[in-house]
Amino acid sequence: MSKALGNHILVEFMNCDPHIMNDVAAIERDMVDAAKKAEATVINSTFHHFSPYGVSGVVVIQESHLAIHTWPEYGYAAVDVFTCGDMNSWIAFDHLKECFKSKSYSAIEIKRGSVNLLTRNDFDITTMRSKASEWVNPDFYTRNVWFTDKDESQALSLRFTGEVFFDVQSPFQRVRILESYKYGKMLALDDMVMTTEKDEFHYHEMISHPGMYMHPNPKNILVIGGGDGGTIREVLRHTSVETVTMVEIDGAVIDACKEHLPQIASSFDHPKLTLIVGDGIAFAKEAAPNTYDLILVDGSDPVGPAEGLFSTEFYQNCFNALKEDGILVAQGESPKFNEKAFKELNFTLQEIFGTDKAPVSLFFVPTYPTGMWSFQYGLKGNVGQNQVPEKPVIDSFVSENGLRYYNHGLQTASFALPNFVADLVKK
Ligand code: SPD
């Protein structure tokens, strides 16, 4: 056989474990290890996860590259290993076959750059060769592992370190704690970003304080969802509070956050808290009428276990469970990213609480797709969004508690809507 510049193996890994095929961190680790086992020198790796599923990535090695694209729904990975020099690509193949738990596979090997067919030109590489020999490969390689939260036409990507601190498939969802470079550790549920260490305060301060200050004397609070603990942490800052009941369906979320996000999950031992691990939708249905001053619905997006948190029946039950001047605050989705759910929720609240009793508060979360997010309110009885304490009262609460997002201005200003958002919720 004539001499070739490179060797390329194209691999079909079939009947692989679908969970592994959707796990960007595991695939990146396995591909890098495969390269190292085959005695390649790893330069860097770039991997992306695509929600709801699929991983693409490449490991650049001094001897060329390893690349992959996966289809978890078919338990399939297309892999190619391109090398030059003496590296044995089949060592990488064997390693990946084991890691992916592939039950059937095939591969073809192609020689690339047959020197018989190529004509060498007079490009002078002597100086480059001496430069190249001076280059020392660093002991580390650069990792580019990306977590992507997306719909069919837009996305938010965060680069993460590849560290996976928690990864449990609960009966409801996949619960993970990963680490992003920019925003620190983050809680992801089924591939959707829920909260991160560095920007959680945007969400948790804004779900809690505007409603708490709109109410003249909030004593009994119900939180549905909110398993990371950030919402109860904020609510419990208010001295008027006598009881907080929190109902979270997924105990795995609480466990994950207590262990890995302790600054968010800091109030689970508070004496005023009653924590129930159970179904918040059923809880609202069975709740006694006129019980709560505030109900905060800190749920995830309207897929999986949170779907029922967007139904008319659920909000009617919340309305009944609120006291006469009670306030409902619900995670309201994004008017840009999930316009349909945003609108439908507001129409539901208008129907139950009244047309002018369902205001929307907007705030920014850099780690949610589009960054523009909302809380939607249902105001029962005589409470109103403009009935708020004097500025000095809120100012001292903000400074005593070291709040970083909420302030007196936002108490009313967050309800001012851009025209296109106001139009979305006009009946
Ligand atoms: N796409 C994210 C929707 C927000 C879900 N809730 C976040 C939980 C924070 N406590």
Side-chain angles (χ1 to χ4, degrees):
M1 199 190 284
S2 72
K3 209 169 159 320
L5 297 178
N7 188 53
H8 202 162
I9 62 172
L10 299 167
V11 187
E12 305 279 281
F13 284 125
M14 293 165 285
N15 297 308
C16 303
D17 181 326
H19 299 289
I20 298 173
M21 294 294 92
N22 201 33
D23 190 335
V24 64
I27 292 176
E28 191 254 358
R29 182 199 58 217
D30 296 342
M31 293 281 285
V32 168
D33 286 350
K36 286 180 176 166
K37 273 199 159 178
E39 293 182 356
T41 305
V42 176
I43 309 287
N44 71 37
S45 70
T46 297
F47 281 75
H48 285 257
H49 174 262
F50 302 102
S51 67
Y53 31 68
V55 170
S56 285
V58 61
V59 180
V60 177
I61 53 178
Q62 209 172 328
E63 297 79 4
S64 197
H65 71 262
L66 284 74
I68 186 165
H69 192 77
T70 72
W71 282 260
E73 67 276 34
Y74 292 104
Y76 168 69
V79 171
D80 57 312
V81 183
F82 186 90
T83 57
C84 49
D86 296 330
M87 185 185 145
N88 182 351
S89 307
W90 295 103
I91 296 174
F93 169 89
D94 286 336
H95 180 74
L96 293 173
K97 184 181 74 187
E98 294 306 311
C99 292
F100 297 167
K101 300 192 170 65
S102 171
K103 295 202 191 74
S104 50
Y105 37 83
S106 66
I108 50 173
E109 184 170 18
I110 306 171
K111 295 287 168 202
R112 302 290 299 272
S114 168
V115 287
N116 279 355
L117 302 172
L118 301 172
T119 313
R120 197 167 182 135
N121 57 34
D122 57 2
F123 181 61
D124 180 12
I125 56 168
T126 28
T127 53
M128 289 168 215
R129 272 202 201 290
S130 64
K131 268 245 159 312
S133 62
E134 287 162 18
W135 185 74
V136 183
N137 189 51
D139 290 339
F140 58 90
Y141 67 96
T142 323
R143 291 174 102 176
N144 255 310
V145 187
W146 291 81
F147 182 98
T148 300
D149 187 343
K150 76 175 185 87
D151 68 9
E152 36 321 301
S153 42
Q154 57 184 328
L156 173 115
S157 286
L158 294 174
R159 182 173 166 219
F160 76 101
T161 62
E163 291 298 318
V164 180
F165 295 93
F166 189 95
D167 188 354
V168 165
Q169 180 64 48
S170 80
F172 306 101
Q173 56 211 341
R174 184 170 185 197
V175 181
R176 281 185 296 170
I177 306 278
L178 311 166
E179 188 174 45
S180 71
Y181 277 104
K182 181 79 183 170
Y183 293 97
K185 286 189 193 151
M186 69 176 189
L187 168 69
L189 298 180
D190 280 347
D191 302 325
M192 288 170 284
V193 178
M194 288 296 121
T195 200
T196 76
E197 278 178 319
K198 300 267 172 74
D199 73 349
E200 56 89 10
F201 63 94
H202 298 220
Y203 183 101
H204 295 124
E205 292 181 18
M206 288 306 285
I207 192 175
S208 311
H209 305 311
M212 292 295 287
Y213 272 126
M214 226 181 261
H215 194 284
N217 190 17
K219 289 183 186 161
N220 306 111
I221 319 296
L222 171 64
V223 176
I224 293 181
D228 51 61
T231 299
I232 54 167
R233 180 194 66 197
E234 293 305 314
V235 164
L236 285 160
R237 293 188 197 279
H238 293 259
T239 47
S240 64
V241 168
E242 290 175 0
T243 65
V244 176
T245 305
M246 174 175 151
V247 189
E248 163 62 51
I249 197 165
D250 198 341
V253 176
I254 301 172
D255 295 344
C257 296
K258 273 182 163 175
E259 196 180 340
H260 299 288
L261 295 171
Q263 69 287 28
I264 304 179
S266 57
S267 299
F268 282 108
D269 295 326
H270 200 288
K272 292 180 182 172
L273 176 73
T274 303
L275 173 63
I276 299 169
V277 177
D279 181 357
I281 297 166
F283 186 90
K285 194 172 180 175
E286 283 145 28
N290 296 312
T291 308
Y292 300 105
D293 297 303
L294 249 88
I295 299 180
L296 306 181
V297 183
D298 182 5
S300 43
D301 304 284
V303 284
E307 213 170 333
L309 297 179
F310 287 78
S311 74
T312 307
E313 191 196 348
F314 171 69
Y315 286 106
Q316 185 61 56
N317 293 333
C318 290
F319 179 90
N320 298 342
L322 282 171
K323 287 188 205 162
E324 195 41 47
D325 286 328
I327 297 174
L328 171 110
V329 187
Q331 188 280 101
E333 293 296 312
S334 164
K336 277 287 188 199
F337 186 63
N338 199 347
E339 184 181 315
K340 186 167 175 284
F342 172 83
K343 270 174 80 161
E344 281 175 8
L345 175 59
N346 198 261
F347 289 155
T348 302
L349 295 175
Q350 289 191 44
E351 215 173 284
I352 296 170
F353 288 85
T355 318
D356 55 348
K357 292 286 193 176
V360 173
S361 153
L362 289 181
F363 66 109
F364 301 96
V365 185
T367 56
Y368 290 172
T370 75
M372 184 188 225
W373 221 259
S374 77
F375 290 115
Q376 303 210 23
Y377 285 63
L379 307 179
K380 195 171 170 178
N382 291 318
V383 284
Q385 79 217 50
N386 295 320
Q387 296 160 12
V388 289
E390 296 294 314
K391 187 170 182 304
V393 174
I394 293 183
D395 284 353
S396 61
F397 176 80
V398 166
S399 73
E400 273 160 28
N401 288 288
L403 302 188
R404 289 178 291 159
Y405 195 102
Y406 169 82
N407 58 36
H408 179 261
L410 287 176
Q411 172 72 42
T412 42
S414 73
F415 291 93
L417 301 181
N419 302 342
F420 83 94
V421 183
D423 286 345
L424 288 177
V425 294
K426 221 171 259 163
K427 274 211 169 179

